[in-house]
Amino acid sequence: MKIFCIAANYRRHNVEIGMEEEPEPVFFMKPETSLLRNHNDFYIPDFSRRIEYETEIVVRICKMGKSIDRKFASRYYDAVTVGLDITARDIQALSRSKGLPWFVSKGFDSSAPLGDFVSKSEFHNLGDIDFGLSINGEPVQQGNTKDMIYDFDTLVSHISKYVTLKTGDLIYTGTPAGVGPLKIGDHLVADIEGRPLLEIKVK
């Protein structure tokens, strides 16, 4: 199982972290060990002084595909949920300044909490889904898929040009503006259309 993450897919987020919009989707990968399932607790690692949340819609691939035409891409995913791309921002900033890969800042253990999946058939329009994150009962991040630069079908088609997609693969589709730090004791609840799908505690 592979985990793909899309960078720079919301313009306002690109501004807040100083990234430029690219002419095609930019993606990186996390290892399977980055997944945090079943609403388990997240433990802040001791190698970073600034761990931040990034709330994202996650798409689940349902069949194998390679070089998928965009007009057929919707056939290759069956469900969505909300997830977090947890980032060691200090390490990422240092890596970016030196032109080095982001892997350590993005791919560490438990850095990809994953919510409960919902069939895509439950949504009238996948291009207009509200989602968000609350910490300790206070909303901290809100987004809508209509603000994505590259929609689900474009992402599936683009990734499949380079990497064969297989059943169970995940695509974290990018985060809107509003990312911020986590601290011990935080209680996170992420939702889609007001429906809580992910709940974790930070320790």
Side-chain angles (χ1 to χ4, degrees):
M1 187 267 287
K2 301 183 291 298
I3 304 167
F4 300 95
C5 298
I6 307 302
N9 203 23
Y10 288 80
R11 291 185 175 91
R12 287 182 58 205
H13 173 63
N14 296 348
V15 171
E16 77 177 344
I17 65 169
M19 288 191 66
E20 297 182 0
E21 184 176 328
E22 299 294 335
E24 61 180 22
V26 174
F27 67 92
F28 58 94
M29 298 178 69
K30 291 180 180 249
E32 188 172 352
T33 49
S34 68
L35 279 182
L36 183 65
R37 300 177 184 267
N38 304 317
H39 312 281
N40 289 332
D41 297 336
F42 172 77
Y43 290 82
I44 290 183
D46 59 7
F47 53 74
S48 172
R49 293 187 177 183
R50 188 172 180 87
I51 295 293
E52 294 192 352
Y53 58 82
E54 297 185 8
T55 312
E56 313 198 1
I57 295 291
V58 183
V59 172
R60 184 177 69 191
I61 300 300
C62 62
K63 67 176 181 177
M64 182 182 293
K66 172 67 175 175
S67 299
I68 301 166
D69 192 296
R70 186 186 179 283
K71 66 183 176 182
F72 301 122
S74 64
R75 302 178 184 179
Y76 289 83
Y77 58 92
D78 63 350
V80 300
T81 188
V82 64
L84 300 175
D85 172 15
I86 296 180
T87 303
R89 193 70 72 195
D90 52 347
I91 295 176
Q92 183 191 40
L94 180 61
S95 298
R96 289 178 63 189
S97 71
K98 295 183 177 182
L100 298 175
W102 296 2
F103 182 82
V104 172
S105 68
K106 292 283 193 176
F108 59 90
D109 288 354
S110 300
S111 63
L114 185 68
D116 301 322
F117 277 99
V118 178
S119 172
K120 70 176 186 180
S121 65
E122 294 192 24
F123 299 94
H124 174 68
N125 181 3
L126 293 172
D128 187 9
I129 300 175
D130 286 318
F131 64 100
L133 175 71
S134 295
I135 299 180
N136 305 323
E138 296 295 327
V140 295
Q141 195 173 20
Q142 300 292 323
N144 188 293
T145 54
K146 67 184 178 184
D147 296 322
M148 295 170 66
I149 299 170
Y150 302 107
D151 63 14
F152 297 160
D153 291 354
T154 299
L155 297 177
V156 169
S157 176
H158 179 74
I159 293 171
S160 74
K161 289 194 301 183
Y162 304 99
V163 184
T164 298
L165 296 175
K166 292 187 175 182
T167 300
D169 286 350
L170 304 173
I171 303 175
Y172 281 63
T173 59
T175 192
V179 302
L182 293 173
K183 66 180 185 302
I184 293 173
D186 282 343
H187 178 203
L188 282 61
V189 178
D191 71 272
I192 292 179
E193 301 286 354
R195 178 177 175 179
L197 297 175
L198 174 62
E199 182 174 0
I200 62 173
K201 293 181 180 179
V202 178
K203 295 187 173 180

